[in-house]
Amino acid sequence: MLLRLGSSPCSLQARAMAASSKTITDFFQANPGPAKRQRLSTPSDDHQPFPSLTAEQKSRMEFNKCVAKSKRNLKICSQKVSQSKVEGSGFVKLEELLVEGTWLEALPGELQKPYATNLCKFVEREISSGSVPIYPPQHLIFNALNSTPFSRVKAVIIGQDPYHGPGQAMGLSFSVPEGVKVPSSLVNIFKELKQDLGCSIPSNGNLEKWAVQGVLLLNTVLTVRRHQANSHAKKGWEQFTDAIIGTISQKKEGVIFLLWGNSAQEKSRLIDQTKHHILKAAHPSGLSANRGFFGCRHFSRTNQLLEQMGIPPIDWQL
Protein backbone atom coordinates (compact mmCIF):
# COMPACT_ATOMS: atom_id res chain seq x y z
CA MET A 1 0.00 0.00 0.00
CA LEU A 2 1.42 3.39 -1.06
CA LEU A 3 1.47 6.06 1.61
CA ARG A 4 1.66 9.78 1.41
CA LEU A 5 4.52 11.37 3.31
CA GLY A 6 3.25 12.46 6.80
CA SER A 7 0.24 10.06 6.82
CA SER A 8 0.02 6.96 9.04
CA PRO A 9 -2.09 3.91 8.27
CA CYS A 10 -4.36 4.92 11.14
CA SER A 11 -5.16 8.38 9.85
CA LEU A 12 -5.86 6.96 6.40
CA GLN A 13 -8.28 4.43 7.89
CA ALA A 14 -10.09 7.13 9.90
CA ARG A 15 -10.62 9.26 6.85
CA ALA A 16 -11.94 6.27 4.94
CA MET A 17 -14.51 5.53 7.71
CA ALA A 18 -15.63 9.16 7.79
CA ALA A 19 -16.17 9.16 4.05
CA SER A 20 -18.21 5.94 4.24
CA SER A 21 -20.52 7.41 6.96
CA LYS A 22 -21.82 10.16 4.64
CA THR A 23 -25.41 9.85 3.50
CA ILE A 24 -26.58 10.48 -0.05
CA THR A 25 -27.94 13.89 0.96
CA ASP A 26 -24.45 15.00 1.83
CA PHE A 27 -23.68 14.97 -1.87
CA PHE A 28 -26.48 17.44 -2.69
CA GLN A 29 -25.57 20.36 -0.49
CA ALA A 30 -26.35 23.89 -1.65
CA ASN A 31 -24.05 25.27 -4.27
CA PRO A 32 -21.13 26.64 -2.30
CA GLY A 33 -20.47 29.28 -4.95
CA PRO A 34 -18.69 29.52 -8.23
CA ALA A 35 -15.54 27.52 -8.64
CA LYS A 36 -12.34 29.46 -8.48
CA ARG A 37 -10.91 30.24 -11.89
CA GLN A 38 -7.60 28.52 -12.46
CA ARG A 39 -4.73 30.94 -12.80
CA LEU A 40 -3.15 30.94 -16.24
CA SER A 41 0.49 30.07 -16.35
CA THR A 42 3.02 32.74 -17.20
CA PRO A 43 6.52 32.56 -18.58
CA SER A 44 7.80 32.73 -15.01
CA ASP A 45 5.99 29.51 -14.12
CA ASP A 46 7.70 26.14 -14.03
CA HIS A 47 6.41 25.24 -17.52
CA GLN A 48 8.44 27.39 -19.91
CA PRO A 49 7.20 27.98 -23.48
CA PHE A 50 8.81 25.99 -26.32
CA PRO A 51 12.02 27.65 -27.52
CA SER A 52 11.94 29.21 -30.99
CA LEU A 53 13.51 27.25 -33.84
CA THR A 54 17.11 27.98 -34.74
CA ALA A 55 18.05 29.09 -38.23
CA GLU A 56 19.57 25.66 -38.84
CA GLN A 57 16.35 23.90 -37.77
CA LYS A 58 14.25 26.16 -40.00
CA SER A 59 16.60 25.48 -42.91
CA ARG A 60 16.36 21.74 -42.33
CA MET A 61 12.54 21.89 -42.22
CA GLU A 62 12.46 23.87 -45.45
CA PHE A 63 14.85 21.40 -47.09
CA ASN A 64 12.67 18.45 -46.07
CA LYS A 65 9.58 20.19 -47.46
CA CYS A 66 11.34 20.73 -50.78
CA VAL A 67 12.48 17.11 -50.94
CA ALA A 68 8.90 15.97 -50.31
CA LYS A 69 7.57 18.30 -53.02
CA SER A 70 10.16 17.09 -55.52
CA LYS A 71 9.26 13.46 -54.81
CA ARG A 72 5.57 14.27 -55.18
CA ASN A 73 6.16 15.87 -58.59
CA LEU A 74 8.25 12.90 -59.69
CA LYS A 75 5.54 10.50 -58.57
CA ILE A 76 2.87 12.41 -60.51
CA CYS A 77 4.96 12.23 -63.70
CA SER A 78 5.74 8.54 -63.19
CA GLN A 79 2.05 7.76 -62.72
CA LYS A 80 1.15 9.60 -65.91
CA VAL A 81 3.70 7.61 -67.91
CA SER A 82 2.54 4.32 -66.36
CA GLN A 83 -1.07 5.16 -67.18
CA SER A 84 -0.17 5.97 -70.80
CA LYS A 85 1.39 2.52 -71.15
CA VAL A 86 -1.72 0.88 -69.72
CA GLU A 87 -3.84 2.81 -72.21
CA GLY A 88 -1.56 1.75 -75.08
CA SER A 89 -0.24 5.11 -76.27
CA GLY A 90 3.13 4.71 -74.56
CA PHE A 91 3.79 8.43 -74.22
CA VAL A 92 2.45 11.44 -72.37
CA LYS A 93 1.94 14.83 -73.98
CA LEU A 94 5.02 16.85 -73.18
CA GLU A 95 3.17 19.76 -71.60
CA GLU A 96 1.56 17.38 -69.10
CA LEU A 97 4.97 16.44 -67.68
CA LEU A 98 5.73 19.93 -66.35
CA VAL A 99 3.79 19.73 -63.09
CA GLU A 100 5.56 22.22 -60.80
CA GLY A 101 3.00 24.98 -60.31
CA THR A 102 5.48 27.81 -59.72
CA TRP A 103 6.99 27.26 -63.18
CA LEU A 104 3.57 27.07 -64.84
CA GLU A 105 2.82 30.47 -63.28
CA ALA A 106 6.21 31.90 -64.29
CA LEU A 107 5.96 30.62 -67.88
CA PRO A 108 2.27 31.09 -68.70
CA GLY A 109 1.37 29.58 -72.06
CA GLU A 110 5.00 28.94 -73.08
CA LEU A 111 4.37 25.33 -74.06
CA GLN A 112 1.33 26.37 -76.10
CA LYS A 113 3.32 28.69 -78.39
CA PRO A 114 3.74 27.54 -82.01
CA TYR A 115 7.42 26.64 -81.64
CA ALA A 116 6.70 24.63 -78.48
CA THR A 117 3.74 22.85 -80.11
CA ASN A 118 6.06 21.71 -82.90
CA LEU A 119 8.68 20.68 -80.36
CA CYS A 120 6.13 18.63 -78.42
CA LYS A 121 4.98 16.85 -81.57
CA PHE A 122 8.58 16.07 -82.53
CA VAL A 123 9.47 14.61 -79.13
CA GLU A 124 6.22 12.62 -79.00
CA ARG A 125 6.96 11.13 -82.45
CA GLU A 126 10.47 10.23 -81.36
CA ILE A 127 9.21 8.48 -78.22
CA SER A 128 6.25 6.73 -79.81
CA SER A 129 8.22 5.38 -82.78
CA GLY A 130 10.35 3.34 -80.41
CA SER A 131 13.08 2.90 -83.03
CA VAL A 132 15.75 4.52 -80.85
CA PRO A 133 15.49 5.08 -77.08
CA ILE A 134 15.08 8.71 -76.03
CA TYR A 135 16.81 10.00 -72.91
CA PRO A 136 16.07 10.91 -70.21
CA PRO A 137 13.00 8.75 -69.50
CA GLN A 138 9.74 10.65 -70.06
CA HIS A 139 8.99 11.29 -66.40
CA LEU A 140 12.38 13.00 -66.00
CA ILE A 141 12.33 15.32 -69.03
CA PHE A 142 11.35 18.32 -66.88
CA ASN A 143 13.12 17.05 -63.76
CA ALA A 144 15.13 20.26 -63.37
CA LEU A 145 11.97 22.37 -63.18
CA ASN A 146 9.95 19.87 -61.19
CA SER A 147 12.77 19.55 -58.61
CA THR A 148 13.62 23.24 -58.26
CA PRO A 149 10.56 25.49 -57.93
CA PHE A 150 10.83 28.92 -59.55
CA SER A 151 10.36 30.55 -56.15
CA ARG A 152 13.39 28.66 -54.78
CA VAL A 153 15.95 29.35 -57.52
CA LYS A 154 19.18 30.72 -56.00
CA ALA A 155 21.70 29.62 -58.60
CA VAL A 156 21.69 28.21 -62.13
CA ILE A 157 24.23 25.76 -63.60
CA ILE A 158 23.76 25.49 -67.36
CA GLY A 159 24.65 22.32 -69.23
CA GLN A 160 24.16 21.34 -72.88
CA ASP A 161 22.79 18.01 -74.09
CA PRO A 162 21.57 15.29 -71.73
CA TYR A 163 23.97 12.36 -71.37
CA HIS A 164 23.21 9.96 -74.21
CA GLY A 165 24.40 6.67 -72.69
CA PRO A 166 21.91 4.15 -71.27
CA GLY A 167 20.84 4.98 -67.72
CA GLN A 168 22.85 8.20 -67.47
CA ALA A 169 20.45 11.08 -68.10
CA MET A 170 18.13 12.09 -65.27
CA GLY A 171 16.99 15.55 -66.35
CA LEU A 172 19.53 17.48 -64.25
CA SER A 173 22.61 18.97 -65.90
CA PHE A 174 25.83 17.06 -65.08
CA SER A 175 23.95 14.66 -62.77
CA VAL A 176 23.71 10.87 -63.07
CA PRO A 177 21.69 8.42 -60.96
CA GLU A 178 23.27 6.46 -58.15
CA GLY A 179 24.95 3.30 -59.42
CA VAL A 180 26.00 4.91 -62.73
CA LYS A 181 29.67 5.65 -63.39
CA VAL A 182 30.44 9.31 -62.72
CA PRO A 183 31.27 11.08 -66.03
CA SER A 184 34.61 12.88 -66.37
CA SER A 185 33.05 16.37 -66.24
CA LEU A 186 31.38 15.58 -62.93
CA VAL A 187 34.58 14.00 -61.60
CA ASN A 188 36.29 17.33 -62.27
CA ILE A 189 33.43 19.25 -60.62
CA PHE A 190 33.92 17.14 -57.49
CA LYS A 191 37.70 17.75 -57.60
CA GLU A 192 37.12 21.51 -57.72
CA LEU A 193 34.62 21.25 -54.86
CA LYS A 194 37.22 19.47 -52.74
CA GLN A 195 39.88 22.03 -53.56
CA ASP A 196 37.51 24.97 -53.05
CA LEU A 197 35.50 23.98 -49.98
CA GLY A 198 37.13 20.80 -48.73
CA CYS A 199 34.11 18.67 -49.69
CA SER A 200 34.80 14.96 -49.73
CA ILE A 201 34.43 13.19 -53.07
CA PRO A 202 30.96 11.53 -53.06
CA SER A 203 30.42 7.91 -54.00
CA ASN A 204 27.90 8.75 -56.73
CA GLY A 205 26.98 11.54 -59.13
CA ASN A 206 23.38 12.26 -58.10
CA LEU A 207 23.00 16.04 -57.69
CA GLU A 208 19.37 16.07 -56.49
CA LYS A 209 20.48 17.52 -53.15
CA TRP A 210 21.66 20.64 -54.97
CA ALA A 211 18.45 20.88 -56.99
CA VAL A 212 16.12 20.87 -53.97
CA GLN A 213 18.24 23.57 -52.32
CA GLY A 214 17.59 25.96 -55.20
CA VAL A 215 20.33 25.14 -57.73
CA LEU A 216 18.59 24.90 -61.11
CA LEU A 217 20.53 22.26 -63.08
CA LEU A 218 19.36 23.21 -66.56
CA ASN A 219 20.47 21.69 -69.84
CA THR A 220 19.84 23.86 -72.91
CA VAL A 221 18.37 20.81 -74.71
CA LEU A 222 16.22 18.46 -72.63
CA THR A 223 16.08 15.27 -74.72
CA VAL A 224 18.45 13.23 -76.90
CA ARG A 225 18.59 9.96 -78.85
CA ARG A 226 20.71 7.14 -77.46
CA HIS A 227 24.35 7.50 -78.52
CA GLN A 228 23.52 10.49 -80.77
CA ALA A 229 24.78 13.70 -79.20
CA ASN A 230 22.88 16.84 -80.24
CA SER A 231 20.27 14.75 -82.06
CA HIS A 232 17.47 16.88 -80.56
CA ALA A 233 19.27 20.19 -80.94
CA LYS A 234 17.61 22.97 -82.95
CA LYS A 235 14.16 21.43 -82.56
CA GLY A 236 12.83 24.09 -80.18
CA TRP A 237 14.41 23.18 -76.85
CA GLU A 238 16.87 26.07 -77.02
CA GLN A 239 14.03 28.58 -77.36
CA PHE A 240 12.24 27.01 -74.40
CA THR A 241 15.27 27.01 -72.10
CA ASP A 242 16.14 30.56 -73.23
CA ALA A 243 12.65 31.52 -72.06
CA ILE A 244 13.40 29.94 -68.69
CA ILE A 245 16.65 31.89 -68.29
CA GLY A 246 15.02 35.11 -69.48
CA THR A 247 12.12 34.67 -67.08
CA ILE A 248 14.48 34.16 -64.14
CA SER A 249 16.38 37.27 -65.17
CA GLN A 250 13.23 39.35 -65.53
CA LYS A 251 11.18 38.18 -62.57
CA LYS A 252 13.83 37.47 -59.91
CA GLU A 253 16.82 39.27 -58.41
CA GLY A 254 20.18 38.17 -57.05
CA VAL A 255 20.36 34.81 -58.83
CA ILE A 256 23.88 33.48 -59.45
CA PHE A 257 24.51 32.01 -62.91
CA LEU A 258 27.44 29.59 -63.21
CA LEU A 259 28.40 29.58 -66.90
CA TRP A 260 30.99 26.94 -67.74
CA GLY A 261 32.26 26.86 -71.32
CA ASN A 262 31.47 28.91 -74.40
CA SER A 263 28.02 27.44 -75.02
CA ALA A 264 26.80 28.33 -71.52
CA GLN A 265 28.46 31.74 -71.63
CA GLU A 266 26.49 32.64 -74.74
CA LYS A 267 23.43 32.72 -72.45
CA SER A 268 24.79 35.76 -70.63
CA ARG A 269 22.99 37.88 -73.27
CA LEU A 270 19.70 36.78 -71.66
CA ILE A 271 20.71 37.84 -68.14
CA ASP A 272 20.34 41.32 -66.66
CA GLN A 273 23.75 41.75 -65.03
CA THR A 274 22.53 44.77 -63.03
CA LYS A 275 20.21 42.42 -61.07
CA HIS A 276 22.09 39.13 -61.09
CA HIS A 277 25.58 37.66 -60.70
CA ILE A 278 27.44 35.81 -63.47
CA LEU A 279 30.42 33.55 -62.78
CA LYS A 280 32.32 32.35 -65.87
CA ALA A 281 34.88 29.58 -66.23
CA ALA A 282 36.05 26.94 -68.69
CA HIS A 283 33.93 23.81 -69.10
CA PRO A 284 34.77 21.06 -66.57
CA SER A 285 35.29 18.42 -69.29
CA GLY A 286 38.60 16.59 -69.42
CA LEU A 287 39.56 18.62 -72.49
CA SER A 288 39.23 22.05 -70.87
CA ALA A 289 39.14 21.75 -67.07
CA ASN A 290 42.83 22.65 -66.82
CA ARG A 291 42.26 25.80 -68.88
CA GLY A 292 40.31 27.71 -66.24
CA PHE A 293 37.79 25.49 -64.49
CA PHE A 294 40.15 24.20 -61.84
CA GLY A 295 40.74 27.03 -59.40
CA CYS A 296 37.63 29.03 -60.36
CA ARG A 297 36.24 28.59 -56.81
CA HIS A 298 32.69 29.10 -58.06
CA PHE A 299 31.15 27.15 -55.20
CA SER A 300 32.60 29.25 -52.40
CA ARG A 301 32.02 32.43 -54.41
CA THR A 302 28.37 31.47 -54.87
CA ASN A 303 27.95 31.03 -51.13
CA GLN A 304 29.72 34.30 -50.38
CA LEU A 305 27.36 36.15 -52.71
CA LEU A 306 24.30 34.46 -51.20
CA GLU A 307 25.37 35.33 -47.66
CA GLN A 308 26.03 38.95 -48.67
CA MET A 309 22.39 39.08 -49.84
CA GLY A 310 21.16 37.49 -46.61
CA ILE A 311 20.27 34.22 -48.35
CA PRO A 312 21.21 30.86 -46.79
CA PRO A 313 24.19 29.31 -48.60
CA ILE A 314 24.18 26.04 -50.53
CA ASP A 315 25.36 22.90 -48.78
CA TRP A 316 27.46 21.53 -51.66
CA GLN A 317 28.53 18.38 -49.82
CA LEU A 318 26.75 15.34 -51.26
Side-chain angles (χ1 to χ4, degrees), residues 259-262 265 280-285 288-293 296:
L259 307 183
W260 300 334
N262 292 332
Q265 289 168 19
K280 295 182 180 181
H283 194 276
S285 73
S288 57
N290 285 307
R291 297 202 297 268
F293 179 75
C296 70

Side-chain angles (χ1 to χ4, degrees), residues 164-292:
H164 52 77
Q168 288 184 304
M170 57 181 295
L172 304 175
S173 61
F174 296 101
S175 181
V176 293
E178 294 181 29
V180 174
K181 182 181 177 181
V182 179
S184 61
S185 293
L186 190 51
V187 168
N188 289 334
I189 289 171
F190 291 159
K191 287 180 179 178
E192 174 60 21
L193 260 175
K194 183 176 183 180
Q195 182 66 30
D196 185 12
L197 289 171
C199 293
S200 59
I201 303 294
S203 60
N204 66 79
N206 189 331
L207 305 181
E208 287 177 322
K209 181 181 175 182
W210 296 358
V212 296
Q213 290 183 84
V215 181
L216 180 64
L217 299 168
L218 182 69
N219 282 320
T220 55
V221 174
L222 301 189
T223 54
V224 69
R225 288 181 177 181
R226 181 180 64 182
H227 298 321
Q228 297 182 39
N230 297 312
S231 52
H232 283 188
K234 299 180 180 179
K235 301 296 183 182
W237 279 127
E238 294 89 345
Q239 189 171 344
F240 178 71
T241 52
D242 280 0
I244 292 171
I245 296 168
T247 296
I248 294 171
S249 177
Q250 179 185 354
K251 297 184 179 181
K252 295 183 73 71
E253 291 186 7
V255 175
I256 302 155
F257 291 83
L258 286 69
L259 307 183
W260 300 334
N262 292 332
S263 177
Q265 289 168 19
E266 289 175 0
K267 303 301 179 182
S268 61
R269 61 184 168 79
L270 304 169
I271 303 164
D272 184 346
Q273 298 185 44
T274 67
K275 296 168 57 182
H276 303 283
H277 306 275
I278 295 179
L279 304 180
K280 295 182 180 181
H283 194 276
S285 73
L287 298 174
S288 57
N290 285 307
R291 297 202 297 268

Side-chain angles (χ1 to χ4, degrees), residues 11-47:
S11 61
L12 290 172
Q13 184 178 12
R15 282 200 296 272
M17 290 176 62
S20 63
S21 65
K22 287 185 178 181
T23 66
I24 193 168
T25 56
D26 293 324
F27 294 97
F28 291 93
Q29 298 294 329
N31 188 353
K36 292 184 179 179
R37 182 172 296 179
Q38 187 174 1
R39 184 175 65 89
L40 296 176
S41 61
T42 66
S44 61
D45 290 336
D46 292 337
H47 300 287

Side-chain angles (χ1 to χ4, degrees), residues 6-243:
S7 298
S8 68
C10 294
S11 61
L12 290 172
Q13 184 178 12
R15 282 200 296 272
M17 290 176 62
S20 63
S21 65
K22 287 185 178 181
T23 66
I24 193 168
T25 56
D26 293 324
F27 294 97
F28 291 93
Q29 298 294 329
N31 188 353
K36 292 184 179 179
R37 182 172 296 179
Q38 187 174 1
R39 184 175 65 89
L40 296 176
S41 61
T42 66
S44 61
D45 290 336
D46 292 337
H47 300 287
Q48 297 291 336
F50 289 110
S52 59
L53 295 175
T54 66
E56 184 178 350
Q57 288 172 324
K58 290 178 181 178
S59 178
R60 174 56 56 182
M61 288 177 64
E62 188 65 25
F63 175 79
N64 290 337
K65 283 170 59 179
C66 292
V67 170
K69 189 174 187 181
S70 174
K71 289 182 178 179
R72 183 206 66 185
N73 287 344
L74 179 61
K75 183 177 180 181
I76 292 171
C77 292
S78 298
Q79 289 174 337
K80 288 185 176 186
V81 173
S82 297
Q83 185 62 31
S84 73
K85 292 177 180 178
V86 170
E87 294 171 353
S89 65
F91 70 90
V92 180
K93 289 185 179 297
L94 204 56
E95 61 266 29
E96 294 179 12
L97 293 171
L98 177 54
V99 298
E100 171 52 44
T102 59
W103 281 107
L104 295 173
E105 293 173 7
L107 299 165
E110 190 67 32
L111 286 172
Q112 285 71 48
K113 292 180 179 179
Y115 86 87
T117 300
N118 292 333
L119 168 65
C120 292
K121 289 178 180 178
F122 166 75
V123 174
E124 288 162 11
R125 284 196 304 269
E126 289 279 280
I127 293 171
S128 60
S129 71
S131 57
V132 180
I134 304 302
Y135 300 138
Q138 286 184 74
H139 67 288
L140 296 176
I141 290 175
F142 291 118
N143 197 20
L145 303 180
N146 288 334
S147 295
T148 309
F150 177 76
S151 56
R152 289 273 296 172
V153 175
K154 299 179 181 180
V156 181
I157 298 178
I158 296 177
Q160 300 176 31
D161 237 17
Y163 295 122
H164 52 77
Q168 288 184 304
M170 57 181 295
L172 304 175
S173 61
F174 296 101
S175 181
V176 293
E178 294 181 29
V180 174
K181 182 181 177 181
V182 179
S184 61
S185 293
L186 190 51
V187 168
N188 289 334
I189 289 171
F190 291 159
K191 287 180 179 178
E192 174 60 21
L193 260 175
K194 183 176 183 180
Q195 182 66 30
D196 185 12
L197 289 171
C199 293
S200 59
I201 303 294
S203 60
N204 66 79
N206 189 331
L207 305 181
E208 287 177 322
K209 181 181 175 182
W210 296 358
V212 296
Q213 290 183 84
V215 181
L216 180 64
L217 299 168
L218 182 69
N219 282 320
T220 55
V221 174
L222 301 189
T223 54
V224 69
R225 288 181 177 181
R226 181 180 64 182
H227 298 321
Q228 297 182 39
N230 297 312
S231 52
H232 283 188
K234 299 180 180 179
K235 301 296 183 182
W237 279 127
E238 294 89 345
Q239 189 171 344
F240 178 71
T241 52
D242 280 0

